[in-house]
């Protein structure tokens, strides 16, 4: 075990980490971040997706010690006011029914949020590629596309500014 520090959604957290502990287990079991879902533990479903130092990763494939000294952002960390306000993509997911059971929603919201932050006007194929590693068992893929299209249809400068600001 080693004492390590990791920033999660803007808050520095100190924890002892086992050398073989998964980031997924640290987040869910010891830091109580339940939006990061545990489903396959093999990197196939993508429901444990988080941002680690600005890159989307599947937390079931990353050791917790790899996040030591770094920054992890989950869906809770992307709110517009930093305190839980909804982003444009979160509102669009709600408005377009893109979250039936809700189990996969955090991973899809975080992934599409990051896509739109980097590219406010992704093509259909860019969106498909961005979410290709995520599985929705309810089959809300069309509603997810509608939600992203709705965000793109808004004033792109204002939406992209809000998306960029909400990731700081």
């Amino acid at each position: 075990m080693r004492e390590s520090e990791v920033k999660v959604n803007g808050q520095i957290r100190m924890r002892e980490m086992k050398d073989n502990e998964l980031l997924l287990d640290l987040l869910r079991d010891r830091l109580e971040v339940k939006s990061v879902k545990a489903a396959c533990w093999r990197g196939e479903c993508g429901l444990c997706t988080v941002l680690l130092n600005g890159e989307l990763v599947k937390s079931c494939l990353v050791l917790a010690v790899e996040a030591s000294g770094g920054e992890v952002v989950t869906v809770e960390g992307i709110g517009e006011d930093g305190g839980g306000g909804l982003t444009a993509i979160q509102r669009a997911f709600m408005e377009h029914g893109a979250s039936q059971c809700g189990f996969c929603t955090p991973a899809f919201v975080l992934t599409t949020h990051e896509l739109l932050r980097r590219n406010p006007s992704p093509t259909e194929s860019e969106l498909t590629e961005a979410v290709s590693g995520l599985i929705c068992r309810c089959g809300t893929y069309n509603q997810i596309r509608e939600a992203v299209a709705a965000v793109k249809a808004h004033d792109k400068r204002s939406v992209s500014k809000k998306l960029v600001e909400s990731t700081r």
Side-chain angles (χ1 to χ4, degrees), residues 124-139:
E124 183 74 23
S125 65
E126 289 170 328
L127 171 61
T128 299
E129 183 177 334
V131 299
S132 66
L134 304 175
I135 295 174
C136 172
R137 288 181 173 88
C138 296

Side-chain angles (χ1 to χ4, degrees), residues 10-49:
Q11 183 181 16
I12 295 178
R13 310 285 293 269
M14 296 291 289
R15 287 291 183 263
E16 285 188 350
M17 296 179 192
K18 298 176 188 172
D19 289 339
N20 64 345
E21 183 176 21
L22 296 174
L23 179 57
L24 169 64
D25 296 329
L26 174 70
L27 291 169
R28 285 190 57 78
D29 299 339
R30 299 202 300 123
L31 298 179
E32 300 290 321
V33 182
K34 300 301 184 184
S35 68
V36 181
K37 303 301 185 198
C40 73
W41 285 276
R42 294 185 307 251
E44 293 176 5
C45 70
L47 303 185
C48 64
T49 298

Side-chain angles (χ1 to χ4, degrees), residues 8 14-15 39 41 51 59 61 70 80 82 90-91 94-95 101 111 138-139 142 151-152 164:
V8 178
M14 296 291 289
R15 287 291 183 263
W41 285 276
L51 282 166
S59 62
L61 299 178
E80 287 183 0
Q90 289 168 315
R91 284 191 301 278
M94 289 174 33
E95 292 167 5
C101 81
T111 301
C138 296
N142 287 333
V151 171
K152 285 172 32 178
V164 169

Side-chain angles (χ1 to χ4, degrees), residues 49-93:
T49 298
V50 299
L51 282 166
L52 174 58
N53 299 322
E55 296 297 322
L56 289 168
V57 299
K58 296 174 182 177
S59 62
C60 71
L61 299 178
V62 176
L63 293 174
V65 295
E66 294 178 71
S68 181
E71 182 173 10
V72 175
V73 177
T74 68
V75 73
E76 291 91 348
I78 64 171
E80 287 183 0
D81 64 5
L86 297 179
T87 65
I89 193 66
Q90 289 168 315
R91 284 191 301 278
F93 265 61

